[in-house]
Amino acid sequence: MSAVLSNYPVAILAGGLATRLRPLTENIPKVLLPVAGKAFLAHQLELLRGQGIRRVVLCLGFLGEMVVKEFGDGRAHGVELDYSFDGPKLLGTGGALRQALPKLGEKFFVLYGDSYLTTPFAPIARFFEHSRRRGLMTVYRNEGLYDTSNVVFRDGQIVVYDKKLRLPEMKHIDYGLSLFHAPVFEERPAGEAFDLADELHQLVAQNDLAGFEVPERFYEIGSHAGLSELESLLAPKK
């Protein structure tokens, strides 16, 4: 267990409508979908606890009350859970983080609510601290294999990040784990809806986004295929 990680809470972005997974997500939020016998969020928290993470803030929107009811204060899963709600309108991934800042403090990890990531967190946190950048994105050399590559990563630097632009030099993909200092989001008005990708674009333009390449592939439940694959990975071996 790494002491460095005790200083870092993790924000989990779990407020979306999960339209790609309908009809499974019409009456249940994505993080509560059963995977290998238990809610996906339970698997995520297990991973985080194993890394040495102790505090998690769930950014919730659609059907979020169901998550609070099932997971409570998090003690049953070995972590301290807190919750931040979008409110009357969905705030997007960036707006949700802006809303959660009072619970997150000065620096924090951000994890998507459908990502299952096995890479060690401690080296990433140490790299972030030494980088003197306001943000960090982890990247994986995907070569278009598991999803559409969206990052040009060259000589240890993120040169381009764009989910809409398609460039032949894009060999890497956003791995789904990032780190930020709070002022990145404090500059935005509270209650404004915006996407985390907008903030990442700005950090790239300012040369203020560190890049950390991870060798482990990612797993996700953002699609029916991803859900099925993770079920096979985590199912008890007979």
Side-chain angles (χ1 to χ4, degrees):
M1 187 186 300
S2 170
V4 69
L5 292 182
S6 61
N7 300 321
Y8 284 90
V10 174
I12 298 182
L13 294 167
L17 298 174
T19 52
R20 285 198 298 161
L21 283 172
R22 286 181 179 168
L24 297 178
T25 50
E26 284 177 352
N27 300 304
I28 185 174
K30 184 161 48 175
V31 291
L32 293 187
L33 286 176
V35 179
K38 55 187 174 185
F40 175 68
L41 180 58
H43 292 289
Q44 272 192 322
L45 295 180
E46 213 169 84
L47 271 182
L48 294 176
R49 187 185 69 235
Q51 296 271 12
I53 296 290
R54 289 293 170 262
R55 286 199 306 120
V56 176
V57 177
L58 278 162
C59 299
L60 298 173
F62 179 64
L63 300 177
E65 298 81 5
M66 294 176 68
V67 182
V68 180
K69 185 176 179 181
E70 182 155 339
F71 281 83
D73 61 10
R75 274 188 291 186
H77 299 273
V79 296
E80 178 189 328
L81 263 186
D82 205 346
Y83 302 91
S84 175
F85 280 85
D86 277 3
K89 66 170 185 176
L90 292 179
L91 294 175
T93 47
L97 290 170
R98 172 67 179 88
Q99 183 97 327
L101 286 183
K103 298 173 185 285
L104 290 169
E106 167 53 31
K107 55 187 180 180
F108 48 90
F109 279 100
V110 174
L111 176 67
Y112 293 109
D114 57 9
S115 294
Y116 187 81
L117 309 177
T118 58
T119 195
F121 283 28
I124 301 169
R126 284 193 288 268
F127 185 85
F128 178 56
E129 290 176 356
H130 293 145
S131 75
R132 301 187 183 277
R133 309 279 178 92
R134 294 199 303 162
L136 176 146
M137 177 195 287
T138 53
V139 297
Y140 171 72
R141 191 173 181 93
N142 177 58
E143 303 272 2
L145 180 58
Y146 299 114
D147 206 337
T148 306
S149 297
N150 54 26
V151 175
V152 178
F153 184 66
R154 190 183 300 135
D155 301 324
Q157 302 291 322
I158 293 174
V159 182
V160 180
Y161 165 65
D162 200 306
K163 292 195 280 190
K164 296 174 184 170
L165 195 63
R166 298 288 173 258
L167 299 173
E169 311 96 282
M170 285 177 165
K171 307 295 184 188
H172 290 75
I173 191 169
D174 172 8
Y175 182 69
L177 180 69
S178 45
L179 277 156
F180 298 98
H181 286 291
V184 168
F185 300 96
E186 285 170 348
E187 294 159 6
R188 293 271 194 165
E192 177 190 356
F194 66 99
D195 199 273
L196 176 56
D198 300 337
E199 216 54 59
L200 291 167
H201 289 155
Q202 196 166 318
L203 290 172
V204 172
Q206 296 165 346
N207 193 28
D208 215 0
L209 185 69
F212 188 98
E213 185 173 14
V214 300
E216 296 89 353
R217 64 154 294 189
F218 58 90
Y219 295 89
E220 48 78 27
I221 62 158
S223 64
H224 289 278
L227 182 61
S228 175
E229 185 180 34
L230 189 61
E231 175 79 37
S232 298
L233 178 78
L234 297 179
K237 302 295 182 282
K238 294 179 181 177

